[in-house]
Amino acid sequence: MAPTAFATDRPQAPARPGIGITATGRLMALCCIGFAVVNIVFELTDHFADGPYAEYSTGIAVMNWLVVGLKAVGAAVALLSVASRPRFLPPVFLGVLLWGAFAMLAVYALGSVVQAIGMASGLAGSADQIDLAGVAYVLFFLLVAAGYGVLAISYSRRFRLRKGVVVLGALGAPVALGVILLAVPMLLAALGVMPAS
C-alpha cells in the first residue's frame, strides 16, 4: 500500500489566516475596544447624572458596564479567531461565538436600518430625527457586522466547522439581544434600579 494512502485520513493543521483576515480581526478588536472606551468615559464623567436621563443614571451605569464586558469579549473573540492556534477555546466554541457575534450585530444593524426607513417614510417618527451622527452609527454597526461575518466564514473554513455551528451561533443572537435590550432593563426596573417605563 502506498504511504500516501493514509495522508487524507489524518487531520490537517488549519491554514494560517491571510494578511487581510488578520487585519480584519485586529480592526474588529480595535473597534470593540474603542467603542467600549466611549462607555467607560460616559461612566467616569457621570455623563447621564444630569439632564433628561438623570432618573435612569443607575440603570444606565449597569447597562454601560455590561456592554463594556460584551465589547471586551468581542475583542477577544476577534483576536482569537486570527491566532494561529488559539489554546483557550475549542474551535467549535469559538466558531459559535464568532457566528453569534456576527448574527447579533447584523440583527441590531438591520433593525436600526428598518427603524431609519420607518422614520424616513413617516411610519414611526419623522425624517427630521435622522441626522448625520445616526447614519454614521448605523453604518459603523453594518461594517462591524460585515467584519465579524468575514472572520466567521474564514474561521469556519480553516477549522472545517459544521453547519450546526453556524445555526447555533445564529440562534443565540436574538436570545442575546433579547437579554441585553429587554430582560436586563426589565430586571433593573423590577429591582428599582431604574424606573419602569
Side-chain angles (χ1 to χ4, degrees), residues 18-193:
I19 294 172
I21 297 298
T22 301
T24 300
R26 290 176 180 168
L27 181 61
M28 292 304 100
L30 189 61
C31 287
C32 288
I33 291 167
F35 211 39
V37 167
V38 173
N39 295 95
I40 292 170
V41 169
F42 281 162
E43 288 311 306
L44 295 180
T45 59
D46 289 328
H47 182 74
F48 297 104
D50 300 315
Y53 300 108
E55 63 178 333
Y56 296 92
S57 62
T58 304
I60 290 173
V62 173
M63 294 298 293
N64 263 333
W65 289 116
L66 172 65
V67 169
V68 166
L70 287 172
K71 289 170 183 174
V73 170
V77 165
L79 291 175
L80 286 171
S81 74
V82 295
S84 55
R85 275 189 183 278
R87 298 174 184 171
F88 304 110
L89 297 173
V92 169
F93 188 65
L94 187 55
V96 168
L97 290 177
L98 276 169
W99 282 106
F102 161 68
M104 185 167 66
L105 289 165
V107 167
Y108 182 76
L110 290 175
S112 297
V113 169
V114 170
Q115 184 181 20
I117 291 170
M119 289 177 181
S121 64
L123 292 173
S126 90
D128 296 337
Q129 294 174 285
I130 301 172
D131 58 9
L132 188 59
V135 171
Y137 179 84
V138 173
L139 287 176
F140 172 80
F141 271 96
L142 285 170
L143 287 172
V144 174
Y148 273 92
V150 167
L151 293 177
I153 291 168
S154 169
Y155 189 82
S156 294
R157 287 179 178 166
R158 281 172 34 232
F159 285 88
R160 297 179 178 87
L161 300 180
R162 295 183 179 178
K163 291 180 181 176
V165 171
V166 178
V167 172
L168 193 57
L171 289 177
V175 174
L177 273 176
V179 168
I180 296 165
L181 299 177
L182 298 173
V184 172
M186 287 172 58
L187 177 62
L188 293 175
L191 295 172
V193 175

